[in-house]
Amino acid sequence: MIKLALRTLRLRKGGFLATFVAVFFGALVVSACGGLMETGIRSETPVQRLAAAPIVVGGPQTFELPREDPATLDPEDKHKSETATLPERVRLDAAVADRLRAVSGVTNVVGEVSFPARAGAASVLGHAWDSAVLTPYTLKGDAPKPGEVVVDAGLGLAVGDTLPVAAHGTVGQYRVSGIAEAPQAMRGSAVFFAPSDAGKLSGHPGRFDAIGVFGGDVAAVSAAVGNAGVVTTGVDRGALEFPETGKSGENLIVLSAVSGGLSALVMVFVVAGTLTLSTQQRQRELALLRAVGTTPRQLRRMVLGEAVVVGLLAVGVAVVLGPVLGHWLFGQLTDHQVVPDVLQFEQGWVPATVAAGASLLAVVAASFVAGRRASRVRPTEALAEAAVERRWLTPIRLITAILCFGGGTALAIVTVAVMTGPVAASTAGPAVMLWAFGLAAISPGVTKLMATLLRWPVEALTGVNGRVALRNTRVGAVRAAGAVTPIMLAVGIATANIYLQTTQEAAANQAFTEDLRADAVVGAPGGLDPAVLDRVRAVPGVAGASEYVTSTVFVEKPFDSGQNDDGRPALGVSELTGNAVEVPATLGHHVGDTLSLRLGDGTPVDVRVTAVVDQRPGFERLVLPAGLLAPHTTLGLAPQLMVRAAPGVDAATLTARLREATTGLPVFVGDRETLIAAHAKGNEVGAWVNYLLVGMILAYTVISVVNTLVMATARRRREFGMQRLSGFTRGQVLRMAGVEGGLIATIAVLLGTLVAAGAIVPFCLVVTGSLLPSGPVAIYLVVLAVAVVLALVAILVPAWAATRGRAVDATSIGE
């Protein structure tokens, strides 16, 4: 049977080409997503500034967060905790460097500090000159003294120039004492200060971002550091130089897992639909094989052999090109600052193996489903079975549909009853696929039912062509369902994911706008000197001003059951002082309670609840004193001041007075619209990621739509010839095919809309209280237009080709 399968491949190139395309693009997408996941898992970052130090010590950026109440947790039960990543840079005390200098064999210990600064018009990173040996840099000129700087060659300055530098909320004039050249390309430009100046400008005197160790044994260095830090060598040093890659790697894993898993599920249905349609078109051939003595097992082996051969070819090409697509996707993510550009794309043999295994598993499962029906027909019924489509509803289809519909219903209930705010997307999103897969499992029956319901409007609009198209769709429901299913998936996935995103964006922007009480903002990328707050408050027309700091904190005591490894959003304001905290009412705390928090840089602190406030569901956050929160952020200062105008003072007057009062300071002044626009732009990054990954999956489904429809229509040449011989003109045949395409598109769009509504409606009820999503209706109209155009083009073009030539010649061609 394997030899027969190979011979069949040569004779039926069209059907197997369609299978090849479906498997190839599915494996390609899964392989590319696997590469992104491997990149996130490895999070390899080539070391730059610390390249010369064989051992680098950094602060621990992770800690163990209990998943259950520690009061009831067995101390030996380690698996009931999860590793949480701290969002702010964890710094090392200078005492750690002193301990390392006492380690036997250590020849040099160098502390590294890095802080954002602005040199003239350029954004740079400031460092202490004594840390230049960690790269190392080559110096032309002299080392900097207090009031002097060494700049890297990329800034285009010369020794003796005067350079204005803004850092840590202050501006100073520095003389350029030397030019430093790096041995390799660096991320951004560097400016080196005297150690005393760097300690002040970093905002963290007596603390280091990392420590480079020369000489000594790794084990001895680790013993000296203890729990105060993390000791790394080799490529792992890059993670300490760029700690932001840790969290970005975790996000990349989630993104790739969701998109890759979704692609794999879509591939299963697309490949199954393609193989089923291909096999269904060969019913006469398979029936004849049964009639001449082929056993069911042999027939299944033949269908499986054909599918596996095509699958192996498709997978082989896909795993070769998978890294190319993965690298392109990674480039898009870095270009849009979703992941840091220092993260290195990695794709080894594991993603290729997983993609190949998943794709071949889908092929085997699909071929089993496709061959099972023909193989179970009795030889005496074989020819009758080939002529007429019989029972399509199998126990597997029915059980799959029931499970999917049950799961979709359960997720909808959980979304409405349990979830709050944008987090409801975590349960609403997966419901799309469950509803879609449930309908796909029973799509022949649903297609026939929808064609019956659409009978009157179709016949009224299209006449005899419509009646023939309706009969073809109802009689060939299995064939039509093969085209309806991928379009339904495309419409459902696109509509749901896009409107979930637009609704989430609109809700976040509305919440920010409604909660915003400021009329102006004073900000600085490098942080604001605390003295600026008093200066702003003294400006005429200012009713109030507050520092504005955002970060993430972790509630350690009492146990916070609603907290995940991302912690709780925190806001720092000047109205609170000491160790006070305002908490949302949903946490269940009371005034006077004491909370044990771990701040963003890992510092533990106890705070006292001074207020319990009702906050917008889904946007809850802890409010802390800015003076408590800001020093434990990477920047170390508040990046913004929120300013409110006094009654009778308009925004233009307020901003003009603020600009005048802050002249000469390294700050910018904006109005309320500036704040709203900045917040909306931040949301656009997450939206872009969603659109990119969903677009990739939709591209695959679009290819599958065209693939399926072209294959289904091209195989109907004999049918079209018979119609022409019975009195139809070629134009009437094409119009009938067009009506079929429109009918298929209409059914698919209606089902896809129903699928999308199963996710959108529960989500919108929770987030906005409305049944309809936020976002322009044009999005939905574009999705519908694309679906209809695809269906019509993919049917009419092959139908036009199939009706060329004489009708009698077409009828003489076998199926």
Side-chain angles (χ1 to χ4, degrees), residues 435 492 495-496 751-763 771:
W435 289 113
T495 304
L751 295 179
T753 303
L754 180 63
V755 164
I760 291 175
V761 171
F763 179 77
L771 291 174

Side-chain angles (χ1 to χ4, degrees), residues 54 120 172 261 303 320 333 344 425 429 447-448 464 470 596 690 709 801 804:
V303 174
V320 172
L333 294 174
Q344 184 171 313
T447 299
K448 184 180 292 188
V464 66
L470 283 166
S596 294
N690 186 48
L709 289 176
R804 296 179 64 186

Side-chain angles (χ1 to χ4, degrees), residues 232-303:
T232 62
T233 59
V235 70
D236 293 337
R237 295 171 296 169
L240 296 185
E241 184 174 352
F242 305 103
E244 67 271 21
T245 59
K247 192 62 179 178
S248 297
E250 294 177 7
N251 295 336
L252 195 58
I253 292 172
V254 174
L255 288 173
S256 57
V258 171
S259 56
L262 188 60
S263 300
L265 291 174
V266 171
M267 178 176 62
V268 169
F269 276 88
V270 170
V271 173
T274 304
L275 271 176
T276 299
L277 180 60
S278 176
T279 305
Q280 188 261 338
Q281 291 177 344
R282 300 168 53 198
Q283 283 293 324
R284 186 177 298 277
E285 171 193 326
L286 299 176
L288 286 172
L289 287 173
R290 288 286 291 119
V292 298
T294 304
T295 65
R297 182 180 179 184
Q298 288 176 319
L299 204 59
R300 288 194 297 269
R301 285 176 56 193
M302 186 192 76
V303 174

Side-chain angles (χ1 to χ4, degrees), residues 164-249:
V165 178
H168 202 64
T170 63
V171 177
Q173 300 292 327
Y174 294 83
R175 176 183 175 275
V176 177
S177 65
I179 307 297
E181 292 187 356
Q184 61 176 343
M186 292 287 172
R187 182 196 192 191
S189 300
V191 173
F192 296 92
F193 298 82
S196 58
D197 288 343
K200 297 175 184 177
L201 296 177
S202 70
H204 302 279
R207 299 181 69 82
F208 297 123
D209 294 354
I211 299 174
V213 181
F214 295 82
D217 179 74
V218 175
V221 170
S222 299
V225 172
N227 295 328
V230 177
V231 179
T232 62
T233 59
V235 70
D236 293 337
R237 295 171 296 169
L240 296 185
E241 184 174 352
F242 305 103
E244 67 271 21
T245 59
K247 192 62 179 178
S248 297

Side-chain angles (χ1 to χ4, degrees), residues 36-53:
L36 294 179
M37 177 176 287
E38 182 176 352
T39 300
I41 293 173
R42 290 177 177 269
S43 292
E44 290 189 1
T45 308
V47 65
Q48 296 182 14
R49 278 269 304 133
L50 311 176

